Amino acid sequence: MLESWSPTIAGETGPKYLAIVRALTADIRAGRLAPGARLPPQRALAKQLNVDLTTVTRAFNEARRVGLIDATAGRGSFVRGPRSPAAEVPRPDPSGSIDFSMNMPPQPAAARLAERLEAGLSRLAGSSGFLARMQYQDSAGNLADRAAAAHWLGQRLGTLPVQRVLVAGGAQVVLAAVLAAILKPGDALCVPALTYPGLRTAAERRGVRLVPVAGDAEGLEPDAFRERCETERPRALYLVPTLDNPTTATLPAVRRRQIAEIARTHGVAIIEDDAYGALPLDAPAPIASQASDITWHIATLSKCASPGLRVAYVAVPGTNEAVRLAAELRAINLMASPLTAALASHWIAEGELDAVVAAIRQENALRQAVARETLQGLDVRGHPCGHHLWLRLPAFWRRGEFGAHARQLGVSVIPSDAFAVGPAPEAIRVSLGAAPDAETLRYGLSLLATLLAHPPGAISTVV
């Protein structure tokens, strides 16, 4: 029995709970902690290290998840014995799954989201006119928030009149409102053959007919779009031009110009869902910057800052379109949350939003590097600034069967069926943002890599 173990974490970088796990791993490998050794109680270790109890609890949970220790209620935590080679990629604790299905941005410590939220809300609460801000607002957003939105969008779109900018409670609300504003039931809407599921849901509820348009590694093919315009006479085109969801493709500038020209020639409105446009530093200019008269440009903060803000900004072709969209937003969601809209405006004014985006961009690059290393040799596409991957399965796997096996290992992914308008390829989307840290991410991806390296019939001998 050894209850006097004292890890050395001074000078360690990164989260303290991971420093404890690294110290535990090192002491086990060095023989300083033998199999069966009893670890100190969590509360005693927290006091000894001068850290929160939750930090030690998280460290012990992580150590138990990766197979370093066992824990028994009432008895304590003990170092596990050596594992056999067959358990090199262990089955995770069924009480905690790894979520690669939700496409959300990571929340790195460098973003200081909790600190920025607390400071921003405190500043707002102490400002004059705060209570007036908490009353019902115009469905297009109040002028202060629309001005902040115009400033932030203007970094990529150029100068925008406030009258053409609206503030809404998330991109999904905007998509439903835009479809209601410009399409009637039965109208044709061109979409990429693999497209965002939220758009599919909104279109189905509106009774809009989806027309798939072929694409390649660079995104939507202009010639395929032109052919659809000539044969299907669509009223609008929907696309995600930068870091496409799910394929991760980014449309080159020349294609954006060609698509805008084709749309104008055929009288087609463009719905530009620029959810990820703020993340890459080298992304081509949005379509709305060169075709503002026909483009409904949507930029949500959910994918580049935090889903909890529930704030999206919309730049519409003109003031008449702004009035129409405001009416639809009023019917669907009344207004954006005044509190989070005001917080976003404050962050924009103080440069805080750009700092959050920069931290997420940096974290995405780190996670993409982990993915490239762990999934090396597989048919996978990603972007250094994005937080999802598009992974084509080996010939011996089918997407439904693969998803089921992954779930048995405690890993959730999204098969291509969720995105396909027509036949679905044998592929999955893997989202990297929900994993709490790089170690969990690497572990989950290693489970996927193990599955992908073996045909289904061999899996029971591997895991």
Side-chain angles (χ1 to χ4, degrees):
M1 182 167 74
L2 177 67
E3 291 193 353
S4 60
W5 177 65
S6 179
T8 301
I9 63 173
E12 289 275 352
T13 59
K16 289 183 179 179
Y17 84 95
L18 290 179
I20 297 172
V21 176
R22 285 193 293 269
L24 179 63
T25 303
D27 286 349
I28 291 173
R29 288 176 177 173
R32 291 186 288 271
L33 283 175
R38 183 173 179 172
L39 298 176
Q42 294 181 24
R43 191 174 299 278
L45 188 58
K47 183 177 181 180
Q48 176 185 324
L49 296 177
N50 194 28
V51 298
D52 291 338
L53 175 61
T54 54
T55 298
V56 176
T57 299
R58 191 175 181 187
F60 275 42
N61 286 342
E62 177 68 7
R64 183 165 57 90
R65 185 185 68 77
V66 299
L68 294 174
I69 65 175
D70 286 317
T72 304
R75 294 187 62 235
S77 299
F78 299 83
V79 176
R80 289 188 63 177
R83 290 177 288 164
S84 66
E88 195 63 33
V89 179
R91 187 183 187 91
D93 186 331
S95 65
S97 63
I98 300 174
D99 184 9
F100 290 146
S101 65
M102 184 61 69
N103 207 27
M104 59 177 285
Q107 309 287 266
R112 296 171 37 235
L113 270 172
E115 180 182 334
R116 285 188 161 103
L117 280 167
E118 182 178 2
L121 293 173
S122 177
R123 176 84 174 268
L124 288 172
S127 64
S128 61
F130 174 72
L131 291 180
R133 276 251 191 169
M134 296 301 101
Q135 304 303 316
Y136 286 109
Q137 306 290 328
D138 191 291
S139 296
N142 68 42
L143 285 178
D145 293 333
R146 293 172 75 179
H151 173 77
W152 195 68
L153 292 177
Q155 296 178 86
R156 303 198 64 229
L157 298 183
T159 303
L160 284 169
V162 172
Q163 293 78 10
R164 284 182 46 218
V165 177
L166 294 82
V167 180
Q172 191 63 38
V173 170
V174 176
L175 285 175
V178 170
L179 294 186
I182 66 176
L183 297 172
K184 300 188 300 295
D187 281 347
L189 171 64
C190 280
V191 297
L194 293 164
T195 200
Y196 170 52
L199 181 278
R200 291 180 55 189
T201 299
E204 289 168 4
R205 293 182 66 85
R206 181 65 180 164
V208 169
R209 180 168 58 91
L210 296 182
V211 177
V213 181
D216 57 20
E218 292 189 323
L220 196 81
E221 295 180 6
D223 287 342
F225 175 47
R226 180 184 291 107
E227 188 273 332
R228 289 300 201 185
C229 287
E230 293 170 350
T231 59
E232 301 289 344
R233 303 178 67 83
R235 292 290 303 275
L237 164 70
Y238 167 86
L239 77 171
V240 181
T242 301
L243 305 187
D244 174 61
N245 182 14
T247 68
T248 78
T250 292
L251 278 171
V254 63
R255 285 201 183 188
R256 298 182 188 219
R257 289 193 297 271
Q258 292 170 342
I259 288 170
E261 291 169 3
I262 294 167
R264 182 173 284 110
T265 298
H266 292 274
V268 176
I270 297 174
I271 304 171
E272 183 178 35
D273 188 349
D274 206 28
Y276 310 92
L279 290 170
L281 293 173
D282 58 351
I287 295 174
S289 67
Q290 56 198 295
S292 61
D293 57 318
I294 60 172
T295 305
W296 302 66
H297 178 91
I298 306 167
T300 178
L301 303 188
S302 294
K303 304 300 185 184
C304 65
S306 171
L309 290 174
R310 303 312 305 148
V311 174
Y313 302 137
V314 197
V316 299
T319 53
N320 289 337
E321 288 82 358
V323 171
R324 285 160 51 197
L325 184 59
E328 297 298 341
L329 289 171
R330 186 179 305 114
I332 295 171
N333 198 42
L334 187 60
M335 63 180 184
S337 162
L339 184 60
T340 54
L343 179 64
S345 297
H346 171 69
W347 280 3
I348 290 170
E350 299 297 323
E352 300 280 354
L353 181 56
D354 286 339
V356 170
V357 174
I360 289 172
R361 183 187 299 122
Q362 184 176 8
E363 178 69 14
N364 279 346
L366 185 149
R367 292 180 180 226
Q368 289 285 345
V370 170
R372 286 194 301 273
E373 177 187 345
T374 311
L375 302 177
Q376 188 173 7
L378 296 169
D379 187 357
V380 60
R381 294 188 58 193
H383 187 284
C385 296
H387 39 260
H388 64 281
L389 308 171
W390 184 239
L391 194 157
R392 292 189 174 274
L393 301 175
F396 48 74
W397 274 110
R398 293 294 174 266
R399 56 194 184 276
E401 189 176 22
F402 181 83
H405 276 80
R407 284 193 298 275
Q408 290 176 4
L409 288 177
V411 181
S412 56
V413 296
I414 298 295
S416 58
D417 307 69
F419 312 96
V421 183
E426 300 299 339
I428 59 171
R429 188 193 70 187
V430 181
S431 299
L432 309 179
D437 49 60
E439 285 75 11
T440 303
L441 175 69
R442 189 185 304 275
Y443 174 75
L445 292 176
S446 71
L447 289 173
L448 294 183
T450 300
L451 285 180
L452 291 163
H454 300 84
I459 289 302
S460 61
T461 66
V462 175
V463 297

